[in-house]
Amino acid sequence: MDYCPHTPENIAQMQSDIGIASIHELFADIPEKFRLKSALDIPAALSEQETIATMSGLASKNKLPQLTLMGAGAYSHFIPAVVGHIVGRAEFYTAYTPYQAEISQGILQAIYEYQTMVAHLTGTEIANASMYDGSSAMAEAAVLCAKMSNRTKIIVAHSVHPEYRQVVNTYSWANGYNLVEIPYMASGQIDLTALQKELDDQVAAVLVQSPNFFGVIEDIAPIADAAHQKGALLVAGFTDGTSLGILQPAGVSGADFVVGEGQSFGNPLNYGGPYLGIFAAKEKFMRRIPGRLVGATFDKNGKRGFVLTLQTREQHIRREKATSNICSNEALCALAAGVYLAALGKNLKQLACLNIYKAQYLKSKFLGIKGWKEVFAAPVYNEFVLRCPDARLVNEKLQAAGIIGGYELHKDYPELDNALLFCATEMLSKDDMDKVIEIVK
Amino acid sequence: MDYCPHTPENIAQMQSDIGIASIHELFADIPEKFRLKSALDIPAALSEQETIATMSGLASKNKLPQLTLMGAGAYSHFIPAVVGHIVGRAEFYTAYTPYQAEISQGILQAIYEYQTMVAHLTGTEIANASMYDGSSAMAEAAVLCAKMSNRTKIIVAHSVHPEYRQVVNTYSWANGYNLVEIPYMASGQIDLTALQKELDDQVAAVLVQSPNFFGVIEDIAPIADAAHQKGALLVAGFTDGTSLGILQPAGVSGADFVVGEGQSFGNPLNYGGPYLGIFAAKEKFMRRIPGRLVGATFDKNGKRGFVLTLQTREQHIRREKATSNICSNEALCALAAGVYLAALGKNLKQLACLNIYKAQYLKSKFLGIKGWKEVFAAPVYNEFVLRCPDARLVNEKLQAAGIIGGYELHKDYPELDNALLFCATEMLSKDDMDKVIEIVK
Amino acid sequence: MDLIFEISRTGRSAAAVSASDVPTINIDEAIGKKYLRTDLDLPEVAEVDLVRHYTNLSRRNFGVDLGFYPLGSCTMKYNPKVNENVAAFPGFTGLHPYCADESAQGNLQLLYEMQKYLSNIFGMTEFTLQPAAGAHGELTGVMMIKKYFEKKGEKRPIILIPDTAHGTNPASGALCGFETVTLRSNSDGVVDIEHLKSLMTEAVAGLMLTNPNTLGLFERNIEQVAQIVHDKGGLLYGDGANANAFLGKARPGDLGFDVIQLNLHKTFSTPHGGGGPGSGPVGVSAKLVDYLPVPRIIKSGNGYNWSDKFPNTIGRVRAFYGNFNVVVKAYTYIRSIGAEGLKHATEMAVLNANYIKEKLKPYFDQPYDRLCMHECVFSGSRQVAESGVHTSDIAKRLIDYGYHPPTIYFPLIVPEAIMIEPTETESKETLDTFCDAMIAIAAEAKENPQRVKESPLSTPVSRLDEVLAARKPDVAWNK
Amino acid sequence: MDLIFEISRTGRSAAAVSASDVPTINIDEAIGKKYLRTDLDLPEVAEVDLVRHYTNLSRRNFGVDLGFYPLGSCTMKYNPKVNENVAAFPGFTGLHPYCADESAQGNLQLLYEMQKYLSNIFGMTEFTLQPAAGAHGELTGVMMIKKYFEKKGEKRPIILIPDTAHGTNPASGALCGFETVTLRSNSDGVVDIEHLKSLMTEAVAGLMLTNPNTLGLFERNIEQVAQIVHDKGGLLYGDGANANAFLGKARPGDLGFDVIQLNLHKTFSTPHGGGGPGSGPVGVSAKLVDYLPVPRIIKSGNGYNWSDKFPNTIGRVRAFYGNFNVVVKAYTYIRSIGAEGLKHATEMAVLNANYIKEKLKPYFDQPYDRLCMHECVFSGSRQVAESGVHTSDIAKRLIDYGYHPPTIYFPLIVPEAIMIEPTETESKETLDTFCDAMIAIAAEAKENPQRVKESPLSTPVSRLDEVLAARKPDVAWNK
Ligand SMILES: Cc1ncc(COP(=O)(O)O)c(C=O)c1O
Ligand SMILES: Cc1ncc(COP(=O)(O)O)c(C=O)c1O
């Protein structure tokens, strides 16, 4: 394929208008010795039909699962058809960041609505237009807390998603911060006493997740209190966004920042990306948060309209003094999330309940198998941890049946050997789960 | 699912505004004895997720072929991605027939462009906005010829698609016409002598197809001459529309009407429909042809615009005196065809050549198998007829390998026992065809 | 906007064709020059320009997804997106019509069940899904009537058509060789029974009745009408375009209809595509089953199969099996809303029509002031008399208010007719703001008739010269 | 337009949730009331209203598919539709990131080959595809620089950033704990070599250079620049946002860059989505390979596998593997146009930019009158002086002519900057009509400056009060 419209005549005419004899003259500024003499080592061009054939071939080397019991930060949820039809509107997906408000009211208003929904869902007052993903949202929140407070210690619960902790670690290393982990208790919740011990006046932020990586719901209020008492800020994450349909959001329980992965809201699994970093905060942090913010305002005729606002926080104006370096974000994923949440509306609660029922059912069925035990006692949403005689074997049996099994926790938590983190969403039917039990037992 | 937005409060308010106590009052005009007392015997409503599961279940009961060697009136061609993106624009597919021109310039202009492309492709001067499919287009053309001429005899080549002949037969029976078939010669072309013998002053129309059902290209000019000499009109069809990329169109060779199936132009196989009836004609028949016609005109500011025109031909104005009863047609399929043809542009010729090369290759490979023989000597486009020792067995072997075999001609042409009609398009690679030969030989 | 031809430039293309992986041949020789065309003058545009052209064209088109579309008789309900997604499953789009039945069991089951569902909903014995649209279904139905009498050896050259009927009804009769005779409506807007009695002779094959009729009124005397037709040995044909008015409420089969055509693209929520594709299934009572088009689906122990072994069939009315992919959408719709949903849809459709009727009654003449079914018909006569503003002006002005206009000047027996069909998918707020717009236009017609007559003012073109278009037709572009 | 909240009505929904097929439990008890939320105030709308809301919103948005979008530095080329279709294959969208590697061999091969292709195109040793956007890639690259010196035990707290650099460059440096020092451009618009020499000490970790720079000018002295940086033990970082200027023409690796980030959503034709998702791969020379983020893909006899066994890695910069589905589109793009196509794209992009530069030269000031690469920068200073019309006014007026405005007020060193990047996918006619519009606006600025200042006149809202928006921020709707 070739997507350049120029005919040879066009090119000739343009060359003559510019006053050159050959295109090569345009590259005169590239020092001769660096001009590439040979062709790139890339396969030859394909017709569209060949492209489709080639790419279908690649896609078919993947094995799509029949069922998945895996959550662990990426969730299989049903996506209503409307979502795809809306994000497939060319006016949305072929636009750049809405720098020119008058011809970008579509995405601007949609993002403003998204921000509103996210602020409400997270129990905060404001939310930005999106971050790259849940993990970088958490990392940026941690860095922000440190920068605002001039403190250099960051505390993270050991029960936070292992990859999120790694990302926080990378960002915090780069800034020379000191990152400390707090263990979980037998219940699966954070060890509050250990936290309190670790909290001192150098702590900028405490990072937790609820539900945490084990699916366990944390008790946020006392954690917030403990942090605030030492002048630290609480950054609360979550795992599956649909949990916000039923669980008390951390913003209401005292978190200063609520960050997390919004993929559950209308975005496909996509092998890990693009996903949607949710970043919400108390209003008082509005002028310090990273990322784009859409605000409502008016034109000279008093008509309401929307613009990118508080841009003085941002890199293109503030440069090295910006609150973050983020520029492009995940606008289309945020649009999908907005459409998803508007489609579900209050039914999001019903969906969350259904997830709980399914998880409870699957858990109870697993616990009916000899040698299977619950690991944590605290309440869970749609994920839970079970110990079984041979976790590897369980997953192998499931894999052989085209089923993605549970997350093997010992990789990140050596103490949790033979412990599997399972997830059940509305995508699993009772029959599916009964089949799983047949395979495993 | 329920797609009605009213809440119970809305309904109550509206009832009171209308002055009724219950919705049932609105159905008072239905005589009591006819009011349905029991529920319909239709499965219960499904959520969207259940709907998708149910329908995926049905779809997966179909076996999609690996390859297809079948044409016979429905053709497997590559559809460029742009086609789906355009016909998927909600403004197009959720509109009705463009009765209100000012808010329908999109589809009107697109159809005007389609009409222009079709007129050019078929070598005629005008084309309508579409008919239901190729067969009904041919039948309506036949009826029109009879009505215009007050003649009652219609001649059709035996080499016209069997189902098209059946449709013509149905329409012609309904109007009391006399339908006569003309045999084909050993070459696969129409027997011109037999045609001339059958032509008398009662013949309204001669119907042929080129390429005909056997893939054979007819020599249109002498047929047109023969028909015209007796005051009959020539209705020329075609099989695979892509043949028009290389073959002399019948309109240039003297046909009065060119009709046929436009599915090849950007419309999927869809198990037989929706397809696209192409109807093109000499300009002099413009005020008599069936179907919608879009015409260019101007608004009061001299701006060009498009309208449905010559509506006095149509049923909603002319009622029983209309040139046809057609109302809704296949506008979206015509749009797809327009986009397809505009995407290919002059490359349609290259595509047609490729189809010829593929067909020649497949034919030559088959002919290398012992006992396989060519049936017709005249030139073909991308379909051809071969006789083999056991046609059923060939197709069974292919079916077992997930390949749709050739069309078994003996069903419609008992004399052509063990003769198979094969089709090769750009969708078959050399490897595919070599594989076919391996399976068959 | 420029035509695609006007932006064409020699040498461009949006679709490259693959190079041949098989030997090329000399086509001039192999096929013969005389069979080859000498020019191919299709537009030449790059993909970017192609996409912009058609995307910008789409933005000059109004569809249900943009707003309210109360086009009477067309049932422009909102079409759920899930149906589009389902119909796009490769399993449904990818099959060749001549693949083996064993490879198409999913499709065949879907078609078979769809026939059963429709038979149940409409109280008919069997359905064919072959016709491509409503008018095609009418033709098919009328052909079966013709065949029925032919088999009985009766000559019945006449078919009766009410004056309120849609134009396709007489046209379908005519395309099937019948002489059509017009049946009058009475002052209540329904069939004039006395007139029917006087016309219904043994030369009459049947009556093509739309119920509710195109005035949105239920033919209350349907039992008597059927009786009169049947007593003379005639058949009662039902135009089911208005079926949205009675799903789950009454069944044409019970009412005495012998044959009925549907418009899946109306009642069963398949999008209209800017003028098709539709689908026009035809249901018949036991009397007519033998005449159904072939092929028909046979269910047996081995699954589903096509069969054309029905000697009395009228034959085929088109190639293959009908607009299959449209049927997929309608089937999905039925399954997703279920029995209760169908009934609820009808109830809400009728509620909405009566609500609009009630709200607009003070402002527009109502030729028949009765409870209506799924649509209501007004007359713009008052406006014509008062200020010379015609129904067409009111319609065009509605465009400026953001609505698609209702159907106008139909049915023919209502002068300056305005035929409003809101459908069940519209919210009360939408109905209210639409009524506000109609009321505002009624006021404008008095206060500023010129503005109404010059409307629409908000569209890329203003009213187009249709007379010119018809007098000097330009239906294909010439360089 | 109303907000989705303003059209919300209690009791409506566009998505029904399935009934539970497993036992329900008392959630208050099972989870505990204190963990449950008390209100859930999401919008309640029917599907029809949802679809109309967002469809109509979309119609208030301008995208490449509607017209020319010469937004400098953003490479808004037309994005082929086939890429969208490929990326939507269930095989690509459906995999969980933690599925077994053996189930994801197609994805892994694609990612692996993509890394190889990019390494070849840019002359780097290896690439990571983990960063989610350009700025994320910058951060990743700078982190590797930091790690490099940490491992060497060198303290280098400073990073140099040219005054023409994009804002993300200094911000990325800062987010990685570096002190940023600004490097001046000379009167030719390229790096001031003397200034570089004076700044480049052993306290400097490196220089973040964009080449061609944001003036659209190729850093002719690149060899010398690299030499100066390397001589002091520093590393040369390349901001590859402008890579569309040199595909197949030159390779950053050959030019002396040690690390470079790309923007697949610019150079490799993935649509920008109204602000993302993008993808910001980072390529490194051999020196930095050890520090790449984990996990990385290992190819072996058994196929492809993820591995995080790289002890010197900077770690992860995000969860999972990056914006995979965006990479699918870019990979498809590379495969479909091939090596020649990449080079051709660059040639046409540069041709188009020079063509515009030449056409507009008489009408707008040109701060650096040289052949440009893929974009050209003008100044609106003349217009300001002559008639008080600012670059922002010119930009807004372009909207009325049907174009997306260019990037404005960037690079910062050009007063009233107008930065035009036409890309290679635009036809000569498009460029010509755009230039005509610019020329017409230049004339308008003289003849009717007020009209230009009041533009746009054709949009649903006119210029919005940004000061109000910032002073009284309203970033979430309250009832
Ligand atoms: C009452 C009535 N009958 C028949 C038809 C014809 O239907 P179709 O357009 O599907 O052929 C229509 C369509 O407008 C109609 O309103
Ligand atoms: C020169 C340059 N560098 C970096 C970036 C940042 O890229 P992204 O928006 O993908 O983070 C941009 C984007 O505008 C840019 O133009």
Side-chain angles (χ1 to χ4, degrees), chain C residues 379-413:
Chain C
S379 165
S381 297
R382 192 193 310 178
Q383 280 70 28
V384 177
E386 281 177 4
S387 50
V389 163
H390 285 267
T391 282
S392 53
D393 300 317
I394 294 170
K396 297 299 181 198
R397 186 68 181 134
L398 269 171
I399 292 174
D400 289 331
Y401 282 81
Y403 300 101
H404 193 286
T407 291
I408 52 177
Y409 300 105
F410 178 72
L412 305 178
I413 61 165

Side-chain angles (χ1 to χ4, degrees), chain C residues 79-92:
Chain C
N79 311 125
K81 295 298 169 202
V82 65
N83 303 349
E84 297 304 306
N85 289 19
V86 166
F89 287 170
F92 291 134

Side-chain angles (χ1 to χ4, degrees), chain A residues 6 29 33 41 62-63 93 95 100 102 112 120 163 170 173 219 244 248 270 297 303 329 347 358, chain D residues 15 21 34-35 37 41 81 93 103 107 109 120 150 223 274-275 316 320 352 370 396 460 465 474:
Chain A
H6 292 334
D29 277 349
K33 67 185 276 200
D41 187 17
N62 293 325
K63 292 186 208 135
Y93 77 82
Q100 296 289 343
E102 299 85 354
Y112 176 84
H120 172 71
E163 295 196 8
T170 305
W173 155 79
D219 195 0
L244 295 171
Q248 180 68 293
N270 272 334
T297 183
K303 248 189 176 171
N329 53 31
N347 284 355
K358 300 269 183 175
Chain D
D21 59 353
K34 74 164 172 178
Y35 292 126
R37 71 186 304 152
D41 203 9
K81 294 299 169 201
T93 61
S103 299
N107 287 353
Q109 182 183 335
N120 181 263
E150 189 177 290
E223 190 173 9
R316 290 180 173 275
F320 312 120
N352 287 352
R370 275 170 56 187
K396 296 300 180 197
D465 187 343
D474 166 4

Side-chain angles (χ1 to χ4, degrees), chain B residues 81-260:
Chain B
V82 286
V83 177
H85 284 263
I86 298 303
V87 301
R89 292 279 304 176
E91 292 93 331
F92 280 137
Y93 77 82
T94 72
Y96 203 80
T97 303
Y99 294 140
Q100 296 289 344
E102 297 85 353
I103 44 173
S104 308
Q105 286 300 298
I107 190 74
L108 284 164
Q109 180 172 336
I111 296 290
Y112 175 85
E113 294 173 352
Y114 160 85
Q115 289 174 179
T116 303
M117 293 185 225
V118 167
H120 172 71
L121 268 183
T122 55
T124 59
E125 285 139 355
I126 60 162
N128 77 7
S130 74
M131 305 293 285
Y132 301 134
D133 77 335
S135 69
S136 65
M138 182 176 274
E140 289 239 23
V143 172
L144 173 60
C145 292
K147 294 222 159 135
M148 287 194 300
S149 62
N150 276 316
R151 295 175 172 197
T152 55
K153 185 166 158 187
I154 292 168
I155 286 179
V156 63
H158 195 47
S159 53
V160 165
H161 193 299
E163 295 197 9
Y164 285 38
R165 284 183 282 124
Q166 290 168 41
V167 175
V168 170
N169 185 53
T170 306
Y171 277 68
S172 123
W173 155 78
N175 285 281
Y177 305 147
N178 172 18
L179 185 66
V180 177
E181 295 202 353
I182 302 293
Y184 55 86
M185 300 184 301
S187 68
Q189 293 177 322
I190 191 170
D191 183 338
L192 199 58
T193 325
L195 172 64
Q196 273 155 337
K197 234 185 260 160
E198 199 57 68
L199 273 164
D200 57 34
D201 62 6
Q202 261 317 296
V203 177
V206 175
L207 318 183
V208 296
Q209 242 183 339
S210 177
N212 66 25
F213 190 61
F214 306 135
V216 162
I217 302 165
E218 298 278 3
D219 196 1
I220 296 294
I223 306 173
D225 286 348
H228 292 157
Q229 266 167 33
K230 296 289 180 176
L233 296 171
L234 179 63
V235 177
F238 52 82
T239 48
D240 187 338
T242 63
S243 64
L244 296 171
I246 182 104
L247 299 185
Q248 180 69 292
V252 173
S253 309
D256 299 283
F257 297 92
V258 182
V259 295

